[in-house]
Amino acid sequence: MTTKTATTFWRIAGMSYLQYINKATSTVRSALKEPAKQKAMQKEVFGFNKAVWEGGVQGPKVPVP
């Protein structure tokens, strides 16, 4: 009797889950028609902020380049 090990196809392809999700979302967004495509492409751009906490109080948020 042999047993088969179940695994996900993105692992078989040698990708991490994050790489798979990024590729899938960019593929879906590029396949959309206007104006839905423009709306979806705007969601692709994002940024990060950082803040230093001292004494239980959050300092000012600073954009991370």
Side-chain angles (χ1 to χ4, degrees):
M1 177 179 212
T2 62
T3 60
K4 291 185 178 181
T5 304
T7 188
T8 54
F9 63 91
W10 47 267
R11 285 257 187 238
I12 295 169
M15 301 172 80
S16 72
Y17 183 70
L18 187 57
Q19 290 171 325
Y20 162 70
I21 290 298
N22 286 335
K23 184 69 172 176
T25 54
S26 65
T27 302
V28 168
R29 287 177 181 154
S30 66
L32 293 171
K33 294 181 181 178
E34 295 296 339
K37 182 176 186 175
Q38 189 64 27
K39 236 182 203 181
M41 293 306 256
Q42 289 172 349
K43 292 182 179 182
E44 197 168 82
V45 179
F46 62 91
F48 294 99
N49 293 325
K50 73 174 183 175
V52 177
W53 288 74
E54 290 184 30
V57 178
Q58 180 181 3
K61 294 181 180 178
V62 180
V64 176

Coordinates of all heavy atoms in Angstrom, one line a residue:
M1 N 0.8 -1.2 0.0 CA 0.0 0.0 0.0 C 0.9 1.2 0.0 O 1.8 1.4 0.8 CB -0.9 0.0 1.2 CG -1.8 1.2 1.4 SD -2.8 1.0 2.8 CE -4.2 1.9 2.3
T2 N 0.6 2.2 -0.9 CA 1.4 3.4 -1.0 C 0.6 4.6 -0.5 O -0.7 4.6 -0.7 CB 1.9 3.7 -2.5 OG1 0.8 3.8 -3.3 CG2 2.8 2.5 -3.0
T3 N 1.2 5.5 0.0 CA 0.5 6.7 0.4 C 1.0 7.9 -0.4 O 2.2 8.0 -0.7 CB 0.7 7.0 1.9 OG1 2.1 7.2 2.1 CG2 0.2 5.9 2.8
K4 N 0.1 8.8 -0.8 CA 0.5 10.0 -1.5 C 0.5 11.2 -0.6 O -0.4 11.3 0.2 CB -0.5 10.2 -2.7 CG -0.5 9.2 -3.8 CD -1.4 9.6 -4.9 CE -1.3 8.6 -6.0 NZ -2.1 9.0 -7.1
T5 N 1.5 12.0 -0.7 CA 1.6 13.2 0.1 C 0.9 14.3 -0.6 O 1.2 14.6 -1.7 CB 3.1 13.5 0.4 OG1 3.7 12.4 1.0 CG2 3.2 14.7 1.3
A6 N -0.1 14.9 0.1 CA -0.8 16.0 -0.5 C 0.0 17.3 -0.3 O 0.5 17.5 0.7 CB -2.2 16.1 0.2
T7 N 0.1 18.0 -1.4 CA 0.7 19.3 -1.3 C 0.0 20.3 -2.2 O -0.7 19.9 -3.1 CB 2.2 19.2 -1.6 OG1 2.9 20.4 -1.3 CG2 2.4 18.8 -3.1
T8 N 0.3 21.5 -2.0 CA -0.4 22.5 -2.9 C 0.4 22.8 -4.2 O 1.6 22.6 -4.2 CB -0.5 23.9 -2.1 OG1 0.8 24.2 -1.6 CG2 -1.4 23.7 -0.9
F9 N -0.3 23.2 -5.2 CA 0.4 23.3 -6.5 C 1.4 24.4 -6.5 O 2.4 24.4 -7.3 CB -0.6 23.5 -7.6 CG -1.4 24.7 -7.5 CD1 -1.0 25.9 -8.1 CD2 -2.6 24.7 -6.9 CE1 -1.8 27.0 -8.1 CE2 -3.4 25.9 -6.8 CZ -3.0 27.1 -7.4
W10 N 1.2 25.5 -5.7 CA 2.2 26.6 -5.7 C 3.5 26.1 -5.1 O 4.6 26.5 -5.4 CB 1.7 27.8 -5.0 CG 1.0 27.7 -3.7 CD1 -0.3 27.5 -3.5 CD2 1.6 27.6 -2.4 NE1 -0.6 27.4 -2.2 CE2 0.5 27.5 -1.5 CE3 2.9 27.8 -1.9 CZ2 0.8 27.4 -0.1 CZ3 3.1 27.7 -0.6 CH2 2.0 27.5 0.3
R11 N 3.5 25.1 -4.1 CA 4.7 24.5 -3.6 C 5.4 23.7 -4.6 O 6.6 23.7 -4.8 CB 4.4 23.7 -2.4 CG 4.1 24.5 -1.2 CD 5.3 24.4 -0.2 NE 4.9 25.1 1.0 CZ 5.5 26.1 1.5 NH1 6.5 26.6 0.9 NH2 5.1 26.7 2.6
I12 N 4.6 22.9 -5.4 CA 5.2 22.1 -6.5 C 5.9 23.0 -7.5 O 6.9 22.6 -8.0 CB 4.1 21.2 -7.1 CG1 3.5 20.2 -6.1 CG2 4.6 20.5 -8.3 CD1 2.3 19.5 -6.5
A13 N 5.3 24.1 -7.8 CA 5.9 25.1 -8.7 C 7.1 25.8 -8.2 O 7.8 26.6 -8.9 CB 4.9 26.1 -9.2
G14 N 7.4 25.6 -6.9 CA 8.6 26.2 -6.3 C 8.4 27.6 -5.9 O 9.3 28.4 -5.8
M15 N 7.1 28.0 -5.5 CA 6.8 29.3 -5.1 C 6.4 29.3 -3.7 O 5.9 28.3 -3.2 CB 5.7 29.9 -6.0 CG 5.9 29.9 -7.4 SD 4.4 30.4 -8.3 CE 4.4 32.1 -8.1
S16 N 6.6 30.5 -3.0 CA 6.0 30.7 -1.7 C 4.6 31.1 -1.9 O 4.1 31.5 -3.0 CB 6.8 31.7 -0.9 OG 6.5 33.0 -1.4
Y17 N 3.8 31.0 -0.8 CA 2.4 31.4 -0.9 C 2.3 32.9 -1.2 O 1.4 33.3 -2.0 CB 1.7 31.2 0.5 CG 0.2 31.5 0.4 CD1 -0.7 30.7 -0.3 CD2 -0.3 32.6 1.1 CE1 -2.0 31.0 -0.4 CE2 -1.6 32.9 1.1 CZ -2.5 32.1 0.3 OH -3.8 32.4 0.3
L18 N 3.2 33.7 -0.7 CA 3.1 35.2 -1.0 C 3.4 35.5 -2.5 O 2.8 36.3 -3.1 CB 4.1 35.9 -0.1 CG 4.1 37.4 -0.2 CD1 2.8 38.0 0.2 CD2 5.2 38.0 0.8
Q19 N 4.4 34.7 -3.0 CA 4.7 34.9 -4.5 C 3.5 34.5 -5.3 O 3.2 35.2 -6.3 CB 5.9 34.0 -4.8 CG 7.2 34.5 -4.3 CD 8.3 33.5 -4.5 OE1 8.1 32.3 -4.5 NE2 9.5 34.0 -4.7
Y20 N 2.8 33.4 -4.9 CA 1.7 32.9 -5.6 C 0.5 34.0 -5.6 O -0.1 34.3 -6.6 CB 1.2 31.6 -5.1 CG -0.2 31.2 -5.4 CD1 -0.6 30.9 -6.7 CD2 -1.2 31.3 -4.5 CE1 -1.9 30.6 -7.1 CE2 -2.5 31.0 -4.8 CZ -2.9 30.6 -6.1 OH -4.1 30.3 -6.4
I21 N 0.2 34.5 -4.4 CA -0.8 35.5 -4.3 C -0.5 36.7 -5.1 O -1.4 37.3 -5.7 CB -1.1 35.8 -2.8 CG1 -1.7 34.6 -2.1 CG2 -1.9 37.0 -2.6 CD1 -3.0 34.2 -2.6
N22 N 0.7 37.2 -5.0 CA 1.1 38.4 -5.8 C 0.9 38.2 -7.3 O 0.4 39.1 -8.0 CB 2.5 38.8 -5.4 CG 2.6 39.5 -4.1 OD1 1.7 40.0 -3.6 ND2 3.8 39.4 -3.5
K23 N 1.3 37.1 -7.7 CA 1.2 36.7 -9.2 C -0.3 36.6 -9.6 O -0.7 37.2 -10.6 CB 1.9 35.4 -9.5 CG 1.9 35.0 -10.9 CD 2.8 36.0 -11.7 CE 3.0 35.5 -13.1 NZ 3.7 36.4 -14.0
A24 N -1.1 36.0 -8.7 CA -2.5 35.8 -9.0 C -3.2 37.1 -9.0 O -4.0 37.4 -10.0 CB -3.1 34.8 -8.0
T25 N -3.0 38.0 -8.1 CA -3.7 39.3 -8.0 C -3.3 40.2 -9.2 O -4.2 40.8 -9.8 CB -3.5 40.0 -6.7 OG1 -2.1 40.2 -6.5 CG2 -4.1 39.3 -5.6
S26 N -2.0 40.2 -9.6 CA -1.6 41.0 -10.7 C -2.2 40.5 -12.0 O -2.6 41.2 -12.9 CB -0.1 41.2 -10.8 OG 0.5 39.9 -11.0
T27 N -2.3 39.2 -12.1 CA -2.9 38.6 -13.3 C -4.4 38.9 -13.4 O -4.9 39.3 -14.5 CB -2.7 37.0 -13.3 OG1 -1.3 36.8 -13.3 CG2 -3.3 36.4 -14.6
V28 N -5.1 38.8 -12.3 CA -6.6 39.1 -12.4 C -6.8 40.6 -12.6 O -7.6 40.9 -13.5 CB -7.2 38.7 -11.0 CG1 -8.6 39.3 -10.9 CG2 -7.2 37.2 -10.9
R29 N -6.0 41.4 -12.0 CA -6.2 42.9 -12.2 C -5.9 43.3 -13.7 O -6.5 44.1 -14.2 CB -5.2 43.7 -11.3 CG -5.7 43.6 -9.8 CD -4.8 44.4 -8.9 NE -5.3 44.3 -7.6 CZ -4.6 44.3 -6.5 NH1 -3.3 44.5 -6.6 NH2 -5.1 44.3 -5.3
S30 N -4.9 42.7 -14.3 CA -4.5 43.0 -15.7 C -5.6 42.5 -16.6 O -5.7 43.0 -17.8 CB -3.1 42.5 -16.0 OG -3.1 41.1 -16.0
A31 N -6.4 41.5 -16.2 CA -7.4 40.9 -17.1 C -8.7 41.6 -17.1 O -9.5 41.4 -18.0 CB -7.6 39.4 -16.8
L32 N -8.9 42.6 -16.1 CA -10.1 43.3 -16.0 C -10.3 44.3 -17.2 O -9.3 44.8 -17.8 CB -10.2 44.0 -14.7 CG -10.3 43.2 -13.5 CD1 -10.1 44.0 -12.2 CD2 -11.6 42.4 -13.4
K33 N -11.5 44.7 -17.4 CA -11.8 45.7 -18.4 C -12.0 47.1 -17.7 O -12.2 47.1 -16.5 CB -13.1 45.4 -19.2 CG -12.9 44.1 -20.0 CD -14.2 43.9 -20.8 CE -14.1 42.6 -21.7 NZ -15.3 42.3 -22.4
E34 N -11.8 48.1 -18.4 CA -12.0 49.5 -17.9 C -13.5 49.6 -17.5 O -14.3 49.1 -18.2 CB -11.5 50.6 -18.9 CG -10.1 50.5 -19.2 CD -9.2 50.9 -18.0 OE1 -9.6 51.5 -17.0 OE2 -8.0 50.5 -18.0
P35 N -13.9 50.4 -16.5 CA -13.2 51.1 -15.5 C -12.8 50.3 -14.3 O -12.1 50.8 -13.4 CB -14.1 52.2 -15.1 CG -15.5 51.6 -15.2 CD -15.3 50.6 -16.4
A36 N -13.2 49.0 -14.3 CA -12.8 48.2 -13.1 C -11.3 48.0 -13.0 O -10.8 47.9 -11.9 CB -13.5 46.8 -13.2
K37 N -10.7 47.9 -14.2 CA -9.2 47.7 -14.2 C -8.5 48.9 -13.5 O -7.6 48.7 -12.7 CB -8.7 47.6 -15.6 CG -7.2 47.3 -15.7 CD -6.8 47.1 -17.2 CE -5.4 46.7 -17.3 NZ -5.0 46.3 -18.7
Q38 N -8.9 50.1 -13.8 CA -8.3 51.3 -13.2 C -8.5 51.3 -11.7 O -7.6 51.6 -10.9 CB -8.9 52.5 -13.8 CG -8.2 53.8 -13.4 CD -6.7 53.8 -13.9 OE1 -6.4 53.2 -14.9 NE2 -5.9 54.5 -13.2
K39 N -9.7 50.9 -11.2 CA -10.0 50.9 -9.8 C -9.1 49.9 -9.1 O -8.6 50.1 -8.0 CB -11.5 50.5 -9.6 CG -12.3 51.5 -8.8 CD -13.7 50.9 -8.7 CE -14.6 52.1 -8.4 NZ -16.0 51.7 -8.2
A40 N -9.0 48.7 -9.7 CA -8.2 47.6 -9.1 C -6.7 48.0 -9.1 O -6.0 47.6 -8.1 CB -8.4 46.3 -9.9
M41 N -6.2 48.6 -10.1 CA -4.8 49.0 -10.2 C -4.5 50.0 -9.1 O -3.3 50.0 -8.6 CB -4.4 49.5 -11.6 CG -4.5 48.5 -12.6 SD -3.6 47.0 -12.3 CE -2.2 47.3 -13.4
Q42 N -5.4 50.9 -8.7 CA -5.2 51.8 -7.6 C -5.0 51.1 -6.3 O -4.2 51.6 -5.4 CB -6.3 52.8 -7.5 CG -6.4 53.8 -8.7 CD -7.6 54.6 -8.7 OE1 -8.6 54.4 -7.9 NE2 -7.7 55.6 -9.6
K43 N -5.6 50.0 -6.1 CA -5.4 49.2 -4.9 C -4.1 48.6 -4.8 O -3.7 48.2 -3.7 CB -6.5 48.2 -4.7 CG -7.9 48.8 -4.6 CD -8.9 47.7 -4.4 CE -10.3 48.3 -4.2 NZ -11.3 47.3 -4.0
E44 N -3.4 48.4 -5.9 CA -2.1 47.8 -5.9 C -1.0 48.6 -5.2 O 0.0 48.1 -4.7 CB -1.7 47.4 -7.3 CG -0.6 46.4 -7.5 CD -0.5 45.9 -8.9 OE1 0.2 46.6 -9.7 OE2 -1.0 44.8 -9.2
V45 N -1.2 49.9 -5.3 CA -0.2 50.9 -4.7 C -0.5 51.1 -3.2 O -1.6 51.4 -2.9 CB -0.2 52.2 -5.4 CG1 0.8 53.2 -4.9 CG2 0.0 52.0 -6.9
F46 N 0.5 50.9 -2.4 CA 0.3 51.2 -0.9 C 1.6 51.6 -0.3 O 2.7 51.5 -0.9 CB -0.3 49.9 -0.2 CG 0.6 48.7 -0.3 CD1 1.6 48.5 0.7 CD2 0.6 47.8 -1.3 CE1 2.4 47.4 0.6 CE2 1.4 46.7 -1.4 CZ 2.3 46.5 -0.4
G47 N 1.6 52.0 0.9 CA 2.8 52.5 1.6 C 2.7 52.1 3.1 O 1.7 51.6 3.6
F48 N 3.8 52.2 3.7 CA 3.9 51.9 5.1 C 4.3 53.1 6.0 O 5.0 54.0 5.5 CB 5.0 50.8 5.4 CG 4.8 49.5 4.7 CD1 5.3 49.2 3.5 CD2 3.9 48.6 5.3 CE1 5.1 47.9 2.9 CE2 3.7 47.4 4.7 CZ 4.3 47.0 3.5
N49 N 3.8 53.1 7.2 CA 4.1 54.2 8.1 C 4.7 53.5 9.3 O 4.5 52.3 9.6 CB 2.9 54.9 8.6 CG 2.3 55.8 7.5 OD1 3.0 56.3 6.7 ND2 0.9 55.9 7.5
K50 N 5.6 54.2 10.0 CA 6.2 53.7 11.3 C 6.0 54.8 12.4 O 5.9 56.0 12.1 CB 7.6 53.4 11.1 CG 8.6 54.5 11.0 CD 10.0 54.1 11.0 CE 10.9 55.3 11.0 NZ 12.3 54.9 11.1
A51 N 5.9 54.3 13.6 CA 5.7 55.2 14.7 C 6.4 54.6 15.9 O 6.4 53.4 16.1 CB 4.2 55.4 15.0
V52 N 7.0 55.4 16.7 CA 7.7 55.0 17.9 C 6.8 55.2 19.1 O 6.2 56.2 19.3 CB 9.0 55.8 18.1 CG1 9.7 55.4 19.4 CG2 9.9 55.6 16.9
W53 N 6.7 54.1 19.9 CA 5.9 54.2 21.1 C 6.8 54.4 22.3 O 7.8 53.7 22.5 CB 5.1 52.9 21.3 CG 4.0 52.7 20.3 CD1 4.1 52.4 19.0 CD2 2.6 52.9 20.6 NE1 2.9 52.4 18.4 CE2 1.9 52.6 19.4 CE3 1.9 53.2 21.7 CZ2 0.5 52.7 19.3 CZ3 0.5 53.2 21.6 CH2 -0.2 53.0 20.4
E54 N 6.4 55.4 23.1 CA 7.2 55.7 24.3 C 6.2 55.9 25.5 O 5.3 56.8 25.3 CB 8.1 56.9 24.2 CG 9.3 56.7 23.2 CD 10.2 57.8 23.1 OE1 10.3 58.6 24.1 OE2 10.8 58.0 22.1
G55 N 6.4 55.2 26.5 CA 5.5 55.4 27.7 C 4.1 55.1 27.4 O 3.2 55.8 28.0
G56 N 3.8 54.2 26.5 CA 2.4 53.9 26.2 C 1.7 54.8 25.3 O 0.5 54.8 25.1
V57 N 2.5 55.8 24.7 CA 1.9 56.8 23.8 C 2.6 56.7 22.5 O 3.8 56.6 22.3 CB 2.1 58.2 24.4 CG1 1.5 59.3 23.4 CG2 1.5 58.3 25.8
Q58 N 1.7 56.7 21.4 CA 2.3 56.5 20.1 C 2.8 57.9 19.6 O 2.1 58.9 19.7 CB 1.2 56.1 19.1 CG 1.6 55.9 17.7 CD 0.5 55.4 16.7 OE1 -0.6 55.3 17.2 NE2 0.9 55.2 15.5
G59 N 4.0 57.9 19.0 CA 4.5 59.1 18.5 C 4.0 59.4 17.1 O 3.1 58.7 16.6
P60 N 4.5 60.4 16.4 CA 4.0 60.7 15.1 C 4.3 59.6 14.1 O 5.3 59.0 14.1 CB 4.7 62.0 14.7 CG 5.9 62.0 15.6 CD 5.5 61.3 16.8
K61 N 3.4 59.4 13.1 CA 3.6 58.4 12.0 C 4.5 59.1 11.0 O 4.2 60.2 10.5 CB 2.2 58.0 11.4 CG 1.4 57.3 12.4 CD 0.1 56.8 11.8 CE -0.8 56.1 12.7 NZ -2.1 55.7 12.2
V62 N 5.5 58.3 10.5 CA 6.4 58.7 9.5 C 6.4 57.7 8.4 O 6.5 56.5 8.6 CB 7.8 58.8 10.1 CG1 8.8 59.3 9.0 CG2 7.9 59.7 11.3
P63 N 6.2 58.2 7.1 CA 6.2 57.3 6.0 C 7.5 56.6 5.8 O 8.5 57.2 6.0 CB 5.9 58.2 4.8 CG 5.3 59.5 5.3 CD 5.9 59.6 6.7
V64 N 7.5 55.3 5.5 CA 8.7 54.5 5.2 C 8.9 54.5 3.7 O 8.0 54.2 3.0 CB 8.5 53.1 5.8 CG1 9.7 52.3 5.4 CG2 8.3 53.1 7.3
P65 N 10.1 55.0 3.3 CA 10.4 55.1 1.9 C 10.5 53.7 1.2 O 10.7 52.7 1.8 CB 11.7 55.8 1.7 CG 12.3 55.9 3.1 CD 11.2 55.5 4.1

